[in-house]
Amino acid sequence: MSNWALACTLVFVVVTILLSVQRKLGLEKEIAIGTVRAAVQLLLIGYVLHYVFDTRKPALIVLIVLLMITVASFNAGKRADRIPGIRLRIGLTLLVTESITMGLLLLLHIIEATPQYIIPVSGIIVGSSMIVSGLFLSQMNRELEAARGEIETLLTLGATPRQAIGHSVKRAIRSSMIPTFDGMKTVGLVQLPGMMTGMIVAGAEPIEAVRYQILIMFVLSSSAAVTAIMLGGISAKLWFTKEGLLRKG
Amino acid sequence: MTALFTLERLTKYLPEQPEQPLFSGITAQITAGERITLLGASGQGKSTLMRIMSLLETSDSGSIALDGKPSSAWQAKDWRKQVCYVAQQAVMLPGSVEANLRTVSNLHSIPFEKELAAQLMEAVGLSRIDWTRPAGDLSGGEKQRVALVRALLLHPRLLLLDEVTASLDPGSKQEVERLLLSWSEREHTAYLWVTHDLAQAAEVSDTVWFMAEGRLLETSGTADFFSEPSTDQARSFIHRESAQGGVADE
Ligand SMILES: Nc1ncnc2c1ncn2[C@@H]1O[C@H](COP(=O)(O)OP(=O)(O)O)[C@@H](O)[C@H]1O
Ligand SMILES: [Mg+2]
């Protein structure tokens, strides 16, 4: 894509701003900030990737993946930032999910061990695990409200925190995984995934693009499962204070 | 003789009302096997006090101790196995009536006392309930009694009973009273029972605790409390409640 063509894409931003002004939506500032941030962040990552692909230093790849995990943990942790230690648990979960998934992909020679493959696929894994973590946490917040009576009843009968919250955690795990499987059922019919579209636009054979998309979908389902189950397990006690009280939803 | 349970200058503030405590300076003791009713108008904080005593809430100052050991030195679950709170609004756990009765056995990996469970269900007038029914479908009064049986199967040393007969008809109410009296006799279980039914209080307790104006105003023998209450507040409370014939919270 030429620089001229890229510059012309600003037309879409202008359209958005004009609509906002005309309809008095008051979103001009949001749109401007969003536009600048998206452009700067993407250009920056483009240069970083360009550099990384050239140098092929493994340490650099690891650093980038760790950075992704850190940002993702902070972002997902927003849903439950009153719970001390939640971000650390999310970070650990994302690290394990990424290690297992990427480890299998490389071990089975499904993808090549080059930054061109590792970094984008890691981005997809960490990004979707972040969303699963966020869903899990907001579902747990709802559980603390809706299932409070049930959890407290178990506590009065001498249950440990883990026993008392077990049902809620299980329900939250399930509901945080469902969107991933719903996505698998409709993919290709309702939406064409971004990665596949990107590959086709960039000139890949549709069949080749689809093969990679299938890989990604399967990878996402297992990483959703690993993320939800692990986060459910290691966060179970965090929903209680050190005195053993159930926290507020 | 050391007390089973002690409350030492307990004070609780509500988050919405930081200038005046809900209650303060509550100091009292419960000995093993003691039968107490806790009386007081609605909103005095009786349920809150019991929730604090079962570690479902914290107090703002003061302390509670079981067997002379302060709550902070206990694992909450070990404490709650001995001090069991039976809530006013009975909550059935998902699953059948039997699953609910088996809760204690499942939680603590101990054998299910099926025989005892059946006896207790009969004693509270639920012998005809089908144990395979979903517990959520029971009526309010049935849930309340299942919750009570579920708690008794834990064999706690202190029961905190929060208006557990509030939604029962007079007949079932009497069955529950008789059961709890004989249970406390047999198992040497102490209880602290919140009720608005003065006749019930006279029937089931040796001691009355009376809460008013944010304090525990009286802890006296039941007979003394009713014949010569030592405070004006208690006198007018007894007068008012007996005039109304006892009205439950909510
Ligand atoms: N978690 C809570 N947050 C705010 N207020 C509460 C809470 N629990 C109870 N209260 C208030 O505390 C007061 C005492 O409630 P409660 O302990 O249920 O009294 P009682 O059982 O004597 O009727 C009531 O005014 C009630 O609205
Ligand atoms: Mg109450």
Side-chain angles (χ1 to χ4, degrees):
Chain A
M1 194 157 118
S2 67
N3 281 338
W4 168 245
L6 182 62
C8 283
T9 54
L10 282 174
V11 165
F12 298 105
V13 178
V14 172
V15 168
T16 321
I17 290 184
L18 284 181
L19 281 174
S20 170
V21 170
Q22 196 238 339
R23 291 276 141 161
K24 299 199 172 65
L25 300 180
L27 287 174
E28 299 83 350
K29 199 175 145 203
E30 295 292 314
I31 297 166
I33 292 176
T35 305
V36 172
R37 277 194 61 164
V40 170
Q41 282 164 208
L42 288 173
L43 285 172
L44 262 179
I45 200 68
Y47 282 110
V48 170
L49 290 179
H50 183 76
Y51 174 72
V52 174
F53 289 0
D54 273 357
T55 57
R56 299 180 150 243
K57 283 203 184 88
L60 209 55
I61 302 179
V62 172
L63 188 75
I64 290 180
V65 171
L66 288 180
L67 205 70
M68 286 176 183
I69 291 177
T70 310
V71 174
S73 306
F74 267 84
N75 200 11
K78 271 188 214 145
R79 304 281 178 93
D81 48 12
R82 68 192 192 290
I83 311 281
I86 194 69
R87 289 199 162 101
L88 184 67
R89 305 298 196 289
I90 300 171
L92 223 70
T93 303
L94 297 186
L95 185 64
V96 168
T97 306
E98 159 75 6
S99 306
I100 292 178
T101 318
M102 189 48 71
L104 278 174
L105 286 171
L106 295 176
L107 207 73
L108 298 173
H109 296 289
I110 299 172
I111 62 170
E112 286 172 42
T114 60
Q116 281 87 333
Y117 284 92
I118 296 178
I119 290 179
V121 174
S122 295
I124 292 174
I125 296 170
V126 173
S128 94
S129 298
M130 172 184 84
I131 290 172
V132 171
S133 303
L135 286 174
F136 173 80
L137 295 177
S138 33
Q139 185 61 33
M140 278 308 289
N141 284 335
R142 278 197 289 278
E143 285 285 336
L144 289 196
E145 297 264 336
R148 200 166 188 85
E150 183 186 325
I151 300 168
E152 285 194 347
T153 299
L154 284 163
L155 289 178
T156 63
L157 296 169
T160 61
R162 202 172 277 281
Q163 286 175 324
I165 205 148
H167 269 116
S168 292
V169 169
K170 196 165 161 191
R171 282 191 292 258
I173 289 176
R174 279 178 57 90
S175 78
S176 65
M177 286 170 63
I178 283 172
T180 305
F181 297 119
D182 279 349
M184 284 172 84
K185 288 182 210 152
T186 57
V187 69
L189 301 177
V190 181
Q191 81 277 31
L192 284 183
M195 192 205 69
M196 186 176 120
T197 318
M199 280 178 74
I200 295 173
V201 169
E205 278 291 321
I207 301 295
E208 185 66 2
V210 162
R211 285 163 167 267
Y212 274 100
Q213 192 55 47
I214 290 174
L215 162 77
I216 293 297
M217 296 310 286
F218 293 177
V219 161
L220 289 188
S221 72
S222 89
S223 48
V226 172
T227 298
I229 290 168
M230 177 167 168
L231 187 57
I234 65 175
S235 69
K237 277 190 175 172
L238 297 185
W239 306 100
F240 298 84
T241 66
K242 67 176 195 305
E243 295 94 8
L245 263 66
L246 184 61
R247 291 182 195 277
K248 297 269 183 289
Chain B
M1 186 165 132
T2 61
L4 170 67
F5 197 104
T6 52
L7 302 98
E8 187 76 34
R9 295 195 305 276
L10 271 194
T11 299
K12 176 73 180 176
Y13 288 86
L14 291 178
E16 310 84 79
Q17 221 184 325
E19 54 303 328
Q20 204 202 350
L22 174 61
F23 53 73
S24 65
I26 296 209
T27 297
Q29 296 199 342
I30 301 172
T31 52
E34 189 173 1
R35 293 185 281 239
I36 307 168
T37 43
L38 175 54
L39 303 180
S42 289
Q44 280 298 316
K46 303 181 298 294
S47 299
T48 306
L49 177 66
M50 287 182 142
R51 287 173 55 83
I52 293 171
M53 290 171 74
S54 61
L55 307 186
L56 293 175
E57 265 178 60
T58 48
S59 60
D60 293 293
S61 68
S63 60
I64 46 177
L66 177 63
D67 282 335
K69 208 166 108 182
S71 56
S72 53
W74 285 83
Q75 287 263 325
K77 79 164 161 54
D78 295 327
W79 175 286
R80 294 191 192 113
K81 273 158 100 168
Q82 309 205 42
V83 180
C84 181
Y85 174 61
V86 186
Q88 182 176 354
Q89 292 290 339
V91 175
M92 291 292 102
L93 298 168
S96 63
V97 172
E98 175 158 0
N100 271 272
L101 296 175
R102 282 183 181 270
T103 308
V104 163
S105 140
N106 289 337
L107 285 176
H108 308 304
S109 310
I110 50 173
F112 176 49
E113 297 176 277
K114 193 164 187 177
E115 195 102 328
L116 177 62
Q119 278 170 25
L120 293 172
M121 288 290 275
E122 184 173 357
V124 296
L126 294 179
S127 53
R128 290 219 297 261
I129 289 250
D130 176 2
W131 284 20
T132 61
R133 267 178 71 184
D137 294 352
L138 301 180
S139 75
E142 288 167 341
K143 284 181 185 168
Q144 211 165 34
R145 285 174 283 169
V146 171
L148 182 63
V149 172
R150 189 175 64 188
L152 292 180
L153 290 169
L154 181 66
H155 299 276
R157 291 161 73 206
L158 172 59
L159 276 164
L160 304 173
L161 306 167
D162 201 348
E163 302 191 40
V164 290
T165 58
S167 47
L168 301 186
D169 61 88
S172 326
K173 199 157 146 179
Q174 245 180 16
E175 285 174 319
V176 169
E177 289 167 6
R178 271 201 293 268
L179 169 67
L180 284 166
L181 272 170
S182 69
W183 179 269
S184 128
E185 195 92 357
R186 203 169 70 219
E187 298 264 325
H188 207 50
T189 305
Y191 56 67
L192 179 62
W193 186 338
V194 173
T195 178
H196 289 270
D197 180 340
L198 300 189
Q200 181 173 66
E203 187 73 27
V204 301
S205 64
D206 318 314
T207 309
V208 169
W209 290 7
F210 174 65
M211 273 175 91
E213 299 175 355
R215 318 204 134 256
L216 186 58
L217 285 186
E218 299 203 27
T219 57
S220 16
T222 303
D224 291 346
F225 177 82
F226 285 116
S227 58
E228 346 174 12
S230 50
T231 56
D232 289 340
Q233 290 89 339
R235 235 184 310 278
S236 57
F237 174 80
I238 295 171
H239 189 72
R240 211 169 47 239
E241 292 286 319
S242 33
Q244 292 174 357
V247 179
D249 274 8
E250 280 153 66

